[in-house]
Amino acid sequence: MKPSINNLFLAVLLACSLAACTDDKTQTAPAPEKPQETAAPAKPQAPVQAAAPAVQKPAVKTAPQPKKDITYTAEQLAQRLKEWDKKLSTLSTQFEQTTSYDGVQVSRSRGTLSYDRDRNFLRLDTLTRTGETEQSAVTDKKEIIILDEAGAHVTTLSWTDWQQGQPNQALFDFGNYTALVDKHNAAVKSQTPQEAVLVLTPKEGEEYELYLTLSKQDFFPAEIAIKSDLMLTKATLSAARKNAPLAENTFGGFFK
């Protein structure tokens, strides 16, 4: 009997073990974990280009407005000439003078003129075609000293006598234009935006016409012409320096 019981007991144990194994196998296995997705690497961003600097348009310049063309009367021009003459203290200028008779040129000269109002000194140098001194005249408007090309004293004359012999006396009348204008009647011959031509005729005495071409900028007489009958003498002034210091030896020390 004992062996049978033992066999039965073993069989029961074996059956229990098999059942246990079967139960373990029939249990649902846990679902495998889903592998984590790896984030895709970020795409590199395109470099940001710096904005091009704004191109500044050049400022539009406004064209300067032309100066208003002022038309002067003869009286106004005469007054402006007087005012200019009163302000004049010194003058140095080049000149070219021609004299013609009935339209035919009979003489031509050129040179330099220097004037000092305070001392009433005037110097006139006549030059050759090559620019060398041909003759000089220095005056205090009382006497006039004539010098040769080397600066040597030639003769001394009365200023009044010498001036009366000049065909264009107004060329030497700087500092005296107020008196000159007052002795004449004034009229306007022509006028442009740049200059005006003032015509002076004597109030009495000899008959002639004196033409003064005045710059409208400062009323400087850039051209002085005198016409008497068929004779015309014209002096054109250039490279004028007004109220600038003159060289100490300009008048040669002849007058103190």
Side-chain angles (χ1 to χ4, degrees):
M1 288 298 291
K2 287 184 180 179
S4 299
I5 294 170
N6 289 339
N7 289 338
L8 180 62
F9 180 74
L10 289 173
V12 173
L13 289 176
L14 180 59
C16 290
S17 298
L18 289 172
C21 290
T22 303
D23 290 341
D24 290 340
K25 288 181 180 178
T26 56
Q27 289 179 357
T28 303
E33 293 184 2
K34 216 173 185 181
Q36 294 182 355
E37 294 182 0
T38 304
K43 293 183 179 180
Q45 295 182 352
V48 179
Q49 294 184 351
V55 178
Q56 293 183 352
K57 295 182 179 180
V60 179
K61 293 184 178 180
T62 305
Q65 296 297 321
K67 292 184 178 180
K68 186 177 180 181
D69 181 13
I70 301 176
T71 301
Y72 294 96
T73 65
E75 291 74 16
Q76 289 172 328
L77 289 173
Q79 183 60 33
R80 296 295 194 282
L81 176 61
K82 291 179 181 180
E83 291 171 358
W84 173 84
D85 195 51
K86 288 178 181 178
K87 293 177 182 177
L88 184 67
S89 59
T90 64
L91 174 68
S92 61
T93 182
Q94 299 174 15
F95 73 89
E96 182 170 317
Q97 181 168 277
T98 58
T99 298
S100 59
Y101 182 81
D102 197 15
V104 179
Q105 182 173 302
V106 295
S107 69
R108 180 177 181 178
S109 62
R110 67 188 189 98
T112 61
L113 182 149
S114 302
Y115 172 69
D116 183 333
R117 184 192 190 99
D118 288 343
R119 296 182 290 177
N120 208 22
F121 288 173
L122 185 143
R123 178 180 181 122
L124 189 71
D125 294 294
T126 304
L127 306 178
T128 64
R129 292 183 178 180
T130 57
E132 299 172 347
T133 301
E134 187 175 57
Q135 188 183 73
S136 299
V138 184
T139 180
D140 59 356
K141 294 193 176 181
K142 296 177 183 177
E143 292 182 330
I144 183 166
I145 297 174
I146 307 299
L147 310 172
D148 64 14
E149 69 279 2
H153 181 204
V154 176
T155 187
T156 300
L157 303 172
S158 162
W159 162 255
T160 303
D161 293 343
W162 179 85
Q163 188 190 33
Q164 292 298 325
Q166 300 303 312
N168 199 351
Q169 300 174 22
L171 178 60
F172 315 105
D173 250 347
F174 295 110
N176 193 42
Y177 276 106
T178 295
L180 178 71
V181 171
D182 289 343
K183 294 177 182 178
H184 294 76
N185 297 310
V188 179
K189 179 178 183 294
S190 62
Q191 197 163 174
T192 70
Q194 292 75 36
E195 61 186 26
V197 180
L198 183 67
V199 184
L200 302 179
T201 53
K203 291 180 178 179
E204 57 183 20
E206 60 180 316
E207 295 183 0
Y208 60 83
E209 295 174 335
L210 179 61
Y211 299 88
L212 301 173
T213 302
L214 308 179
S215 163
K216 280 190 174 181
Q217 183 177 3
D218 63 357
F219 300 94
F220 173 72
E223 187 175 279
I224 303 169
I226 186 168
K227 183 178 181 181
S228 179
D229 294 330
L230 298 178
M231 186 80 71
L232 174 65
T233 301
K234 179 171 65 176
T236 302
L237 309 184
S238 61
R241 297 176 67 244
K242 309 151 197 171
N243 299 333
L246 300 175
E248 291 185 4
N249 63 344
T250 298
F251 303 102
F254 294 102
F255 303 101
K256 303 298 183 181

